[in-house]
Amino acid sequence: MSYIPGQQVTAIVQRVEIHKLCRGEILILGFSIGGGIDQHHSQNPFSEDTTDKGIYVTRVSEGGPAEISGLQIGDKIMQLNCWDMTMVTHDQARKRLTKRSEEVVRLLVTAVSAEGCAAVHQSPGE
Amino acid sequence: MEDCDVHSAASILASVKEQEARFERLTRALEQERRHVALQLECAQQPVVGSSGMVGNGQPVPMAWQQLVLQEQSPGSQASLATMPEAPEVLEETVTVEEDPGTPTSHISIITSEDGTTRRTETKVTKTVKTVTTRTVRQVPLGPDGLPLLDGGSPLGPFADGPLDRHFLRGGGPAATLSRAYLSSRSGFPEGPEPRDGPNYGSLSRGLGGRPPHAGPLSMGLGDGCFTLPGRREAFPMGPEPGPTSGRSLPERFQAEPYGLEDDTRSLAADDEGAPDLEPEYGTVARRRPECGRGLRARAYEDTANDSGELMEERPPFPAATAPLAQPEQGSLGSLDRVVRRSPSVDSARKEPRWRDPELPEVLAMLRHPVDPVKANAAAYLQHLCFENEGIKRRVRQLRGLPLLVALLDHPRAEVRRRACGALRNLSYGRDTDNKAAIRDCGGVPALVRLLRAARDNEVRELVTGTLWNLSSYEPLKMVIIDHGLQTLTHEVIVPHSGWEREPNEDSKPRDAEWTTVFKNTSGCLRNVSSDGVEARRRLRECDGLVDALLHALQSAVGRKDTDNKSVENCVCIMRNLSYHVHKEVPGADRYQEAEPGPPGSAAGSQRRKRDDASCFGGKKAKGKKGGEMDQNFDTLDLPKRTGAAEGFELLYQPEVVRLYLSLLTESRNFNTLEAAAGALQNLSAGNWMWATYIRASVRKERGLPVLVELLQSETDKVVRAVAIALRNLSLDLRNKDLIGSYAMAELVRNLRNAQAPAHLGARLEEDTVVAILNTIHEIVSDSLDNARSLLQAQGVPTLVALVASSLSVREAKAASHVLQAVWSYKELRGALQRDGWTKARFQSASMAKGPKGALSPGCFDDSTLPLVDKNLDGEKSASRDVVPMDALGPDGYTTLERRERRALGSDSIGEASETELLKPDPGRKATPTGPSRPSVRLVDAVGDAKPQPVDSWV
């Protein structure tokens, strides 16, 4: 996912639309994120590029909304409801994802192995 | 200062006021004259002006209005007070000549005459100004008249008093785009050839609008010496002031426009109520500026050490961000700024052209002036002069200015003490050590320490500790600082700021450390002095409460996940230095010694002996500690039980610290902190005393090995080096050795491969690092067939052979051939090696070098210690330049110095490693297969588990 500044970024992205699940008071998406511009790259196990401080999906809970929507471990979240997510802190990402006002989250993600797998896990949102 | 001489201030004030009144009268007359001419001109150019004026009422007004808002707020933003009196003044200009400047009525009358919309009536001030604008737009034709008038400022000098200037500023300034450009060019002036005018502008409006009281002492200082304190260009952060301040007001009105990004974040911040981190970042541009100034400042500290504070304050690139508004009291130049800014504001600015700046000897003479404010001002000016000017610093020393300043540290007046200390801080800063020596020679260190004890004012404490930090980088001063200052620094700063309490209140939770500037400076100072050798270490270790407080501070940092700052770095470095040679140097260390392993004998044998000895010595443990039973089985090592909590220097080597260092290694992103934490583990795990055994085992138990292995991937050379050496020391523990052999080998070899990469790729490691890695590999390959196999599997042999063949460094080549030789010594592996096409010759060539190397092995280390120092001098220097280009001038020296010290210590640590080398049984001995004891599967799990958990959040 590294890119040269000024160059066009080419990444195979897919849309994932996740409907949050109401769990008591809170809405959950059912996955966990790692990374962020404030995190050490070593905490991002899915990218070779040490300068990549993107937000990655680190875990997906079984049967959760995220899994149902086709989100996979290792996906990098590029956009969230049209917000850019490639340059955010971990906390910002978390907050944006967990906004209570938004029941549906539309993600633009790119997979580690996106080139190969893009076709395979096309998301329902597509 | 104001408070210290009320009397003189009052009298001066009176005279100033009188003068002011006179000038005001003159001004008015002048103004009347001007208006008269203006009217005539206006009549003459009626057609043109008329049309523009009409438009002025329509379209351009909002434009001008906005601009005005900007400009209006810029000089006035310091206090709305400042704008208030000005507005009426402007009015006076537009409406009637005789209006009293201060009267609010005129203000109101303007409003009515303007018949503004409701919207406008809200902000009377801006509105009035707006009136002026339109008016002045009409007056633009006056240009020939008006502009010359501005320039005529200097000819008019004697008359040109505040109000007049303000007229110009107001009249000319807001006058639509044209004059605005003029204004802004004006603000650029300070850098230009005519520094004097610019700042006057900036300052006048404020000074007049603001507070004459300040003028008192200052004007006296000026009057007395007949000098103007300003003068130098950097001294005019005020000049560009409209810049930053308009920046400040900008976001309030035009927030979204500049960048899409800003828009983005702003709206995010808006609906994301719980995002505090956004606030400081994007709140307003204005807040960002000072923030960024501060941030840079912090960075300067981080990377360049001792005293970049002053640098930031006066740094030309940030005259705007200097933000005397934002942090008026901070640091050296704050003071000077004030001097500069106010002195002209009094009334003098206009007259100054005929004054000259005082010569250095005169400034120094003023340090003895009977009037205190003069002393203070002279010291402040001196501080300003010295900034980044080694020549001046030298001259101050040659003119024997340092004893004068040191003497002023004990002056009864706080202001004088503070200024003197500020000057000393600048003077003590730099690569040139003569000033430091001179300060010492006139008793500067005890005086500073006295001042620190006496001072309650935080600024003074920052200055004192900053000065001490500067001084502490000079070797001969370290012991002096320890002698005079250690107790005070510890008890006045370190302990209180660390949050450590000797007798913690049971109910309240432990206090957190406060990362204040004072703490940072003090810890930096102690960090420097802690590298001064055995005696210094002993004194620091035994200084009551110091180790406890440092540990508490670090723990608090880890607890708050705030491990990247400079204070933490300083603390870890002190801890690392104090951990050095603990096994030899702490009182009673001999009780814990384990027997020196005999040179011959297998690893297992020596281990067994150690174990036995340890348990033997267990009975003789220090009072206060029960001899814990050492389990014979190293896997379940029992730590010694203690009756009382460890305290003081004992804390340095308690196995509990392992967790702290590992947390730092996991969390911190500060390379210096990482290096120091790894270095501390390295120091603690060296040596053959019982505690080192515990530490080595604790690192394993706390899952520290994967953390360390992970750090082998660090991009920072010195981190890799420290970690490699630490791993090597840790592998003295046999189980560690197995683990490191299995899991670190690939990384170690990868680093070696990088070492051979072409230099331009930037991945190239320094020679010392390569040697350290090779030594670590050698250590873990020796006596462990499995580890040697791992090396083969990691494709280490080709790498090593290539290193031997191609390395330009003799040390690298030797160390690599040493490893190859060790590999070849395993007969079991020879078959595999030969199958891969390797011939004995490859390894023989290694053993060719071996002949002398038997003796060289230790000698090699000795070599490495000394050259390390020199070499790193250069290496670090350039590195630090890269990091902080803006500090290319001064602080660099500090970096180097300080780093060199640490480096010297680091090299000591390598000495330590060499010591462990001696521990190591003869390389010629045969390996004992450790096959069965190798729980490989479990180890995989262990590594997997202990990998630093990604910080992730469920959503």
Side-chain angles (χ1 to χ4, degrees):
Chain A
M1 277 318 299
S2 64
Y3 64 95
I4 302 147
Q7 297 286 303
Q8 200 177 358
V9 183
T10 50
I12 302 182
V13 292
Q14 38 185 167
R15 290 199 191 101
V16 179
E17 187 173 307
I18 307 176
H19 294 259
K20 290 183 183 172
L21 189 66
C22 209
R23 184 76 52 85
E25 284 274 307
I26 27 175
L27 295 167
I28 62 157
L29 286 160
F31 68 97
S32 73
I33 53 164
I37 53 175
D38 58 342
Q39 302 288 308
H40 193 255
H41 65 80
S42 68
Q43 276 149 357
N44 159 21
F46 301 107
S47 169
E48 297 293 314
D49 179 3
T50 54
T51 59
D52 183 352
K53 304 281 179 88
I55 301 293
Y56 279 81
V57 176
T58 51
R59 290 180 277 179
V60 177
S61 68
E62 231 171 288
E67 193 191 43
I68 292 166
S69 306
L71 198 69
Q72 298 201 344
I73 291 179
D75 285 353
K76 178 180 181 178
I77 301 180
M78 311 292 283
Q79 283 186 15
L80 183 160
N81 295 351
C82 299
W83 291 103
D84 175 63
M85 294 286 276
T86 59
M87 279 300 212
V88 294
T89 65
H90 187 84
D91 243 15
Q92 284 168 353
R94 191 177 53 72
K95 282 178 180 141
R96 283 185 194 177
L97 281 163
T98 54
K99 265 188 196 152
R100 219 174 281 182
S101 54
E102 294 171 347
E103 275 188 34
V104 181
V105 165
R106 286 180 196 84
L107 300 176
L108 213 56
V109 301
T110 177
V112 208
S113 48
E115 281 81 357
C117 312
V120 181
H121 52 108
Q122 290 249 330
S123 65
E126 195 75 39
Chain B
M1 175 177 252
E2 289 87 344
D3 46 52
C4 52
D5 45 1
V6 183
H7 284 302
S8 47
S11 61
I12 298 289
L13 193 63
S15 76
V16 167
K17 283 213 169 128
E18 197 178 74
Q19 268 184 321
E20 255 178 350
R22 217 183 95 234
F23 284 139
E24 215 153 43
R25 261 172 287 152
L26 282 169
T27 309
R28 251 175 238 143
L30 203 78
E31 181 56 30
Q32 211 167 354
E33 181 78 14
R34 196 174 74 95
R35 201 190 337 274
H36 188 62
V37 176
L39 276 171
Q40 285 181 336
L41 263 174
E42 213 168 331
C43 291
Q45 305 189 345
Q46 197 58 15
V48 184
V49 179
S51 64
S52 77
M54 290 310 286
V55 181
N57 282 338
Q59 259 295 7
V61 170
M63 266 276 293
W65 186 74
Q66 283 175 330
Q67 288 170 354
L68 269 179
V69 168
L70 295 184
Q71 293 176 345
E72 177 55 28
Q73 291 199 348
S74 47
S77 68
Q78 190 185 27
S80 49
L81 272 180
T83 54
M84 284 302 287
E86 273 164 22
E89 256 250 328
V90 178
L91 289 184
E92 176 201 10
E93 180 190 347
T94 54
V95 189
T96 50
V97 185
E98 304 306 287
E99 277 280 339
D100 184 359
T103 344
T105 48
S106 64
H107 188 94
I108 294 160
S109 73
I110 289 291
I111 295 164
T112 51
S113 76
E114 245 309 299
D115 82 322
T117 57
T118 34
R119 173 171 57 104
R120 285 180 191 166
T121 40
E122 285 179 15
T123 55
K124 295 170 190 167
V125 175
T126 35
K127 187 183 147 199
T128 47
V129 178
K130 184 212 132 197
T131 333
V132 179
T133 332
T134 51
R135 176 71 54 124
T136 32
V137 167
R138 238 170 284 143
Q139 282 178 350
V140 166
L142 266 181
D145 194 10
L147 292 183
L149 262 179
L150 275 166
D151 284 345
S154 16
L156 285 176
F159 305 98
D161 159 48
L164 180 60
D165 287 321
R166 254 183 299 154
H167 277 303
F168 290 139
L169 182 67
R170 289 293 137 207
T177 341
L178 171 67
S179 54
R180 190 175 169 233
Y182 178 75
L183 234 205
S184 65
S185 80
R186 231 5 37 200
S187 62
F189 261 29
E191 317 284 11
E194 200 186 18
R196 198 144 275 166
D197 273 5
N200 289 346
Y201 272 90
S203 48
L204 271 171
S205 58
R206 165 168 320 126
L208 286 173
R211 352 86 180 232
H214 288 311
L218 278 163
S219 70
M220 188 186 64
L222 291 165
D224 260 308
C226 248
F227 296 125
T228 61
L229 286 184
R232 284 190 13 157
R233 268 150 218 193
E234 304 97 287
F236 295 119
M238 304 334 45
E241 200 163 285
T245 30
S246 70
R248 166 168 315 154
S249 55
L250 246 178
E252 283 149 29
R253 319 229 170 214
F254 309 116
Q255 208 167 21
E257 265 113 76
Y259 327 99
L261 174 70
E262 187 121 74
D263 187 26
D264 180 48
T265 44
R266 185 195 45 153
S267 52
L268 177 76
D271 63 347
D272 207 353
E273 76 278 20
D277 42 344
L278 287 178
E279 293 293 327
E281 271 175 35
Y282 301 107
T284 64
V285 176
R287 251 185 298 145
R288 275 185 94 160
R289 289 238 186 164
E291 209 94 280
C292 105
R294 230 173 295 141
L296 277 162
R297 210 182 125 175
R299 191 144 56 82
Y301 266 106
E302 251 169 56
D303 289 317
T304 66
N306 292 345
D307 200 9
S308 38
E310 56 193 30
L311 196 103
M312 285 318 301
E313 250 108 44
E314 327 175 72
R315 194 95 200 154
F318 296 94
T322 315
L325 304 178
Q327 15 180 208
E329 295 299 318
Q330 253 200 352
S332 52
L333 256 279
S335 52
L336 187 65
D337 289 347
R338 255 176 291 146
V339 174
V340 173
R341 185 180 346 131
R342 283 179 200 155
S343 47
S345 80
V346 178
D347 66 344
S348 48
R350 285 287 144 190
K351 297 186 275 186
E352 273 163 24
R354 65 193 159 98
W355 289 354
R356 62 185 173 78
D357 292 339
E359 298 293 330
L360 191 56
E362 292 165 335
V363 178
L364 292 175
M366 284 160 75
L367 290 175
R368 302 191 220 230
H369 198 279
V371 180
D372 292 336
V374 176
K375 285 180 188 153
N377 282 342
Y381 185 44
L382 199 54
Q383 173 180 17
H384 164 64
L385 285 180
C386 293
F387 172 68
E388 281 196 351
N389 191 330
E390 295 298 324
I392 297 271
K393 289 182 193 173
R394 205 179 317 119
R395 282 196 64 212
V396 170
R397 181 181 72 246
Q398 286 156 356
L399 295 170
R400 311 208 176 283
L402 291 166
L404 293 175
L405 286 168
V406 168
L408 289 183
L409 291 178
D410 290 317
H411 195 274
R413 295 239 163 119
E415 185 67 16
V416 178
R417 294 196 298 264
R418 168 169 28 185
R419 299 280 183 252
C421 193
L424 281 173
R425 191 177 77 169
N426 277 10
L427 283 162
S428 63
Y429 174 75
R431 216 170 295 205
D432 182 1
T433 56
D434 290 343
N435 274 359
K436 302 181 214 281
I439 291 174
R440 171 195 58 187
D441 293 341
C442 58
V445 173
L448 285 165
V449 172
R450 272 198 303 278
L451 181 53
L452 177 62
R453 268 198 297 267
R456 286 291 153 265
D457 174 13
N458 195 47
E459 188 189 336
V460 175
R461 292 164 77 93
E462 284 177 11
L463 288 171
V464 172
T465 50
T467 312
L468 285 171
W469 190 0
N470 286 347
L471 294 175
S472 68
S473 68
Y474 180 46
E475 299 288 335
L477 265 168
K478 293 184 176 182
M479 218 53 204
V480 180
I481 291 174
I482 291 177
D483 284 338
H484 292 98
L486 179 57
Q487 292 292 329
T488 306
L489 289 172
T490 304
H491 294 131
E492 291 280 327
V493 181
I494 297 290
V495 169
H497 289 250
S498 73
W500 176 70
E501 289 155 307
R502 199 173 300 272
E503 279 142 9
N505 188 348
E506 302 272 321
D507 306 328
S508 61
K509 79 181 226 247
R511 284 168 52 219
D512 274 332
E514 309 155 23
W515 306 133
T516 57
T517 306
V518 178
F519 185 81
K520 177 176 64 187
N521 291 349
T522 308
S523 54
C525 173
L526 292 180
R527 167 181 172 179
N528 278 348
V529 301
S530 69
S531 66
D532 197 37
V534 190
E535 181 61 13
R537 288 194 293 271
R538 190 184 65 74
R539 296 281 293 275
L540 261 69
R541 283 185 197 123
E542 293 175 8
C543 178
D544 189 30
L546 178 61
V547 175
D548 312 60
L550 291 174
L551 265 178
H552 182 94
L554 286 176
Q555 250 135 14
S556 144
V558 168
R560 283 187 300 172
K561 296 198 184 295
D562 181 14
T563 52
D564 296 341
N565 63 55
K566 184 73 181 176
S567 296
V568 169
E569 179 190 319
N570 287 338
C571 291
V572 187
C573 285
I574 301 172
M575 291 294 287
R576 188 261 297 270
N577 285 352
L578 297 187
S579 302
Y580 176 68
H581 273 181
V582 269
H583 62 285
K584 287 182 187 163
E585 292 174 5
V586 300
D590 47 344
R591 281 192 295 254
Y592 301 102
Q593 294 305 317
E594 295 175 348
E596 296 280 344
S602 72
S606 73
Q607 283 291 359
R608 180 150 300 124
R609 258 182 81 188
K610 276 193 220 170
R611 251 181 267 154
D612 294 346
D613 287 335
S615 55
C616 280
F617 280 100
K620 294 199 245 163
K621 271 178 200 148
K623 58 181 163 78
K625 297 193 177 93
K626 282 223 176 94
E629 279 190 14
M630 286 270 293
D631 197 293
Q632 294 294 317
N633 181 355
F634 264 66
D635 284 356
T636 57
L637 176 88
D638 273 345
L639 300 175
K641 298 181 184 66
R642 289 187 299 257
T643 49
E647 56 176 28
F649 63 81
E650 292 170 349
L651 290 168
L652 286 171
Y653 47 82
Q654 298 304 313
E656 287 86 341
V657 296
V658 168
R659 183 170 295 175
L660 174 66
Y661 291 131
L662 289 177
S663 303
L664 289 168
L665 287 172
T666 316
E667 306 249 326
S668 183
R669 267 160 281 158
N670 178 333
F671 296 127
N672 294 324
T673 302
L674 290 175
E675 183 206 9
L681 286 178
Q682 165 198 336
N683 283 342
L684 291 173
S685 56
N688 51 326
W689 74 333
M690 202 186 72
W691 293 107
T693 316
Y694 295 146
I695 294 282
R696 286 180 217 128
S698 296
V699 173
R700 180 177 67 245
K701 283 171 168 295
E702 298 284 348
R703 301 185 184 287
L705 296 176
V707 175
L708 289 166
V709 172
E710 185 98 4
L711 282 171
L712 284 176
Q713 297 172 12
S714 169
E715 296 145 18
T716 313
D717 193 83
K718 57 190 181 181
V719 175
V720 173
R721 177 165 44 206
V723 168
I725 301 172
L727 284 174
R728 178 200 162 123
N729 285 350
L730 288 167
S731 67
L732 291 179
D733 177 300
L734 286 187
R735 295 219 38 226
N736 282 352
K737 188 173 189 168
D738 289 341
L739 288 163
I740 293 168
S742 330
Y743 297 105
M745 190 64 85
E747 272 309 315
L748 290 167
V749 171
R750 191 188 60 80
N751 269 312
L752 285 185
R753 243 178 253 132
N754 282 351
Q756 292 166 308
H760 64 82
L761 287 187
R764 199 173 163 75
L765 298 172
E766 283 177 30
E767 181 189 38
D768 297 314
T769 311
V770 175
V771 173
I773 292 169
L774 287 168
N775 287 333
T776 306
I777 294 180
H778 184 263
E779 173 66 37
I780 56 183
V781 166
S782 305
D783 308 320
S784 168
L785 176 59
D786 284 329
N787 285 348
R789 280 213 180 91
S790 303
L791 179 63
L792 262 56
Q793 277 159 15
Q795 301 298 313
V797 174
T799 312
L800 288 165
V801 170
L803 248 183
V804 173
S806 68
S807 174
L808 299 176
S809 152
V810 183
R811 289 171 53 217
E812 283 179 18
K814 274 181 187 163
S817 61
H818 206 175
V819 177
L820 284 176
Q821 192 191 326
V823 172
W824 190 254
S825 71
Y826 294 107
K827 291 206 177 63
E828 299 90 330
L829 298 179
R830 284 182 194 164
L833 286 169
Q834 279 158 346
R835 266 200 304 283
D836 288 346
W838 299 109
T839 59
K840 189 180 179 186
R842 285 291 182 187
F843 300 87
Q844 283 294 21
S845 75
S847 52
M848 289 291 278
K850 181 194 171 183
K853 205 169 42 176
L856 268 176
S857 166
C860 180
F861 281 105
D862 289 348
D863 282 351
S864 73
T865 30
L866 292 177
L868 203 55
V869 178
D870 299 336
K871 207 176 78 63
N872 279 308
L873 256 178
D874 297 2
E876 296 293 336
K877 213 187 299 173
S878 56
S880 70
R881 265 209 187 111
D882 289 343
V883 181
V884 195
M886 56 166 298
D887 286 320
L889 275 175
D892 218 16
Y894 270 81
T895 320
T896 332
L897 280 174
E898 201 199 337
R899 290 208 186 161
R900 184 189 54 190
E901 287 152 13
R902 294 197 293 107
R903 192 56 55 189
L905 210 90
S907 67
D908 277 357
S909 318
I910 289 191
E912 182 120 359
S914 79
E915 198 174 295
T916 64
E917 171 85 358
L918 293 181
L919 268 183
K920 197 184 61 179
D922 190 348
R925 67 211 142 100
K926 290 287 163 268
T928 46
T930 47
S933 72
R934 196 182 177 87
S936 36
V937 179
R938 232 194 68 209
L939 293 178
V940 174
D941 285 340
V943 171
D945 279 357
K947 230 174 197 150
Q949 282 296 320
V951 176
D952 55 5
S953 330
W954 282 99
V955 289

Short mmCIF file of all heavy atoms in Angstrom, two decimals, chain B residues 61 116 325 440 623 804:
data_model
loop_
_atom_site.label_atom_id
_atom_site.label_comp_id
_atom_site.label_asym_id
_atom_site.label_seq_id
_atom_site.Cartn_x
_atom_site.Cartn_y
_atom_site.Cartn_z
N VAL B 61 -16.69 47.60 0.61
CA VAL B 61 -16.72 47.77 2.05
C VAL B 61 -16.51 46.47 2.81
O VAL B 61 -15.64 46.40 3.66
CB VAL B 61 -18.02 48.46 2.49
CG1 VAL B 61 -18.15 48.42 3.99
CG2 VAL B 61 -18.02 49.88 1.97
N GLY B 116 -24.93 52.44 10.54
CA GLY B 116 -24.64 51.06 10.15
C GLY B 116 -25.85 50.18 10.35
O GLY B 116 -26.82 50.53 11.03
N LEU B 325 3.00 36.88 22.73
CA LEU B 325 1.64 36.93 23.23
C LEU B 325 1.28 35.61 23.86
O LEU B 325 0.68 35.55 24.91
CB LEU B 325 0.69 37.21 22.07
CG LEU B 325 1.02 38.46 21.30
CD1 LEU B 325 0.05 38.63 20.16
CD2 LEU B 325 0.98 39.65 22.22
N ARG B 440 32.50 28.08 36.05
CA ARG B 440 32.91 27.29 37.20
C ARG B 440 33.93 28.06 38.03
O ARG B 440 33.83 28.12 39.26
CB ARG B 440 33.53 25.97 36.74
CG ARG B 440 34.17 25.19 37.87
CD ARG B 440 35.08 24.11 37.34
NE ARG B 440 36.12 24.67 36.47
CZ ARG B 440 36.95 23.93 35.77
NH1 ARG B 440 36.87 22.62 35.80
NH2 ARG B 440 37.87 24.48 35.00
N LYS B 623 21.55 -8.10 54.64
CA LYS B 623 20.50 -7.98 55.65
C LYS B 623 19.32 -7.29 54.99
O LYS B 623 19.47 -6.48 54.08
CB LYS B 623 20.99 -7.14 56.82
CG LYS B 623 21.45 -5.75 56.39
CD LYS B 623 21.93 -4.99 57.57
CE LYS B 623 22.73 -3.84 57.20
NZ LYS B 623 22.71 -2.70 56.78
N VAL B 804 33.17 -11.57 5.07
CA VAL B 804 34.61 -11.77 5.22
C VAL B 804 35.32 -11.30 3.97
O VAL B 804 36.35 -10.63 4.02
CB VAL B 804 34.93 -13.25 5.50
CG1 VAL B 804 36.42 -13.48 5.48
CG2 VAL B 804 34.34 -13.67 6.82
#
